[in-house]
Amino acid sequence: MSATSRPAVAPPSTATDPRAYQRATAAALSGLAIQVALVVATGLVALWTDSQALYAAGWHMLGGLPIWIVLALVYQQHETERVQRLAADKLAADPAASAAIFGNLGDDLDAARRRLDAIYRYALPAVSLLVAAYLLAAGGVLASVQVRSGAAGALAERASPVGLLFALAGIAFVAFVGGRWLAGYARQRDWQLLRGGASYLMSCFLVTTLVLAGAVALAVAGIDWPLRTLAVLIPGVMVAIGLEILLTALLEAYRPRVPGEIPRPAFDSRVLGLLTAPESLGSVLADLISYQFGVEVSGSWLYRLLGSAITPLTLFGGGVLL
């Protein structure tokens, strides 16, 4: 079935209290504030150090802003729809209520539902394509500029490697704590969309950690080639994430829908989701298979056997290679 011929994709609200969606809206706005803080902090540190790797990290963090904006809009509209529904239900149960007032509330409820459906049908896919296009364009431009010009990734003379370590450690800490905190919200069914923003925050943590490792190499061993390499590697990571989001968006357009299912937007990276999921890698892979193909694998004996053995086998294999 094509994307244009689908029924409304907005799932029914399961939370009976509008404050549940109010909390989700507050969580999305908190994620937006954290993302803005990361962009500003990374940009200031990049200006101070004149490090091309940090410039690339700042451009990557900028891509998370549209995600948090649309998530805040989704849950704010959910809250409005729930308030209108409760008011309409209460008025319908009152036999002395005015029919005109009830009709106005019904019209408001229908309008709220249409706006919510439009956000799910158009805004979420549009933001996914926007983020994918941004990551592909920005990552490609940054990588090509670095490759052609051979710009140095080392620090400016005015910058202190030790001071950079503290700054990067603080940025990485905020990104990690924020990502894990918001991933905890996403474990609730009605707040699952927050997982996409939490995953992007974890990608910011990953990128900052890579730059931190390069700064450690410069401060301890006096070598700057890791930072020079990261000036090209981080744009490559941006391109890879952008390609994944774009491919997921194309696959999602033709995936059959289950009635009442909460859609998983394409910007909710399946790869980055491994960083936010508290469960094992096997459980995450099982969820991906079940979601994409509708095949339940978590109940099979083979899955339970592999799920119990994959972690020790992976550690054992890593030890042998080391």
Side-chain angles (χ1 to χ4, degrees), residues 26-40 65 68 174 182 201:
L29 292 176
S30 299
L32 178 61
I34 293 173
Q35 195 75 49
V36 171
L38 292 176
V39 172
V40 173
L65 297 182
W68 289 113
V174 172
L182 291 164
L201 278 179

Side-chain angles (χ1 to χ4, degrees), residues 121-144:
R121 186 187 295 271
Y122 303 112
L124 290 180
V127 169
S128 297
L129 294 177
L130 174 64
V131 173
Y134 168 79
L135 291 175
L136 290 173
V141 170
L142 290 172
S144 62

Side-chain angles (χ1 to χ4, degrees), residues 22-305:
Q22 187 178 7
R23 290 184 59 190
T25 304
L29 292 176
S30 299
L32 178 61
I34 293 173
Q35 195 75 49
V36 171
L38 292 176
V39 172
V40 173
T42 305
L44 292 177
V45 175
L47 291 174
W48 171 50
T49 60
D50 199 25
S51 171
Q52 299 301 317
L54 275 171
Y55 282 125
W59 283 110
H60 171 73
M61 293 178 182
L62 189 64
L65 297 182
I67 295 176
W68 289 113
I69 292 174
V70 74
L71 290 179
L73 290 176
V74 167
Y75 287 113
Q76 190 276 332
Q77 190 58 42
H78 263 297
E79 180 187 356
T80 301
E81 186 268 345
R82 171 51 59 180
V83 170
Q84 295 289 345
R85 178 186 296 186
L86 291 178
D89 292 344
K90 182 177 179 180
L91 194 59
D94 185 1
S98 171
I101 298 178
F102 177 74
N104 292 334
L105 284 177
D107 293 340
D108 293 340
L109 177 59
D110 291 339
R113 287 174 175 172
R114 287 194 298 269
R115 288 193 296 267
L116 183 61
D117 181 75
I119 292 176
Y120 274 96
R121 186 187 295 271
Y122 303 112
L124 290 180
V127 169
S128 297
L129 294 177
L130 174 64
V131 173
Y134 168 79
L135 291 175
L136 290 173
V141 170
L142 290 172
S144 62
V145 169
Q146 292 300 317
V147 170
R148 289 200 308 266
S149 64
L155 307 183
E157 295 182 358
R158 62 179 179 274
S160 168
V162 177
L164 177 61
L165 293 181
F166 283 100
L168 290 176
I171 295 173
F173 177 78
V174 172
F176 178 80
V177 173
R180 294 295 296 178
W181 171 57
L182 291 164
Y185 273 84
R187 299 181 67 180
Q188 301 294 325
R189 182 182 185 277
D190 292 301
W191 301 340
Q192 286 181 7
L193 292 177
L194 293 174
R195 180 175 50 196
S199 299
Y200 203 92
L201 278 179
M202 292 304 293
S203 74
C204 297
F205 162 73
L206 177 62
V207 167
T208 307
T209 303
L210 291 175
V211 182
L212 178 61
V216 170
L218 179 62
V220 175
I223 55 177
D224 62 358
W225 66 262
L227 283 177
R228 298 175 185 271
T229 304
L230 287 173
V232 180
L233 178 61
I234 293 176
V237 172
M238 296 172 63
V239 172
I241 296 175
L243 286 174
E244 185 210 354
I245 295 175
L246 182 60
L247 179 61
T248 303
L250 295 176
L251 294 176
E252 191 72 13
Y254 297 98
R255 192 184 67 83
R257 292 287 187 270
V258 177
E261 176 190 39
I262 297 179
R264 186 172 182 178
F267 59 72
D268 184 1
S269 171
R270 278 61 171 169
V271 176
L272 296 177
L274 301 178
L275 301 176
T276 60
E279 58 269 25
S280 65
L281 176 62
S283 299
V284 176
L285 293 178
D287 290 341
L288 292 180
I289 295 174
S290 300
Y291 178 83
Q292 192 65 43
F293 301 104
V295 178
E296 182 62 42
V297 300
S298 59
S300 64
W301 67 269
L302 179 60
Y303 166 78
R304 291 195 296 268
L305 176 62

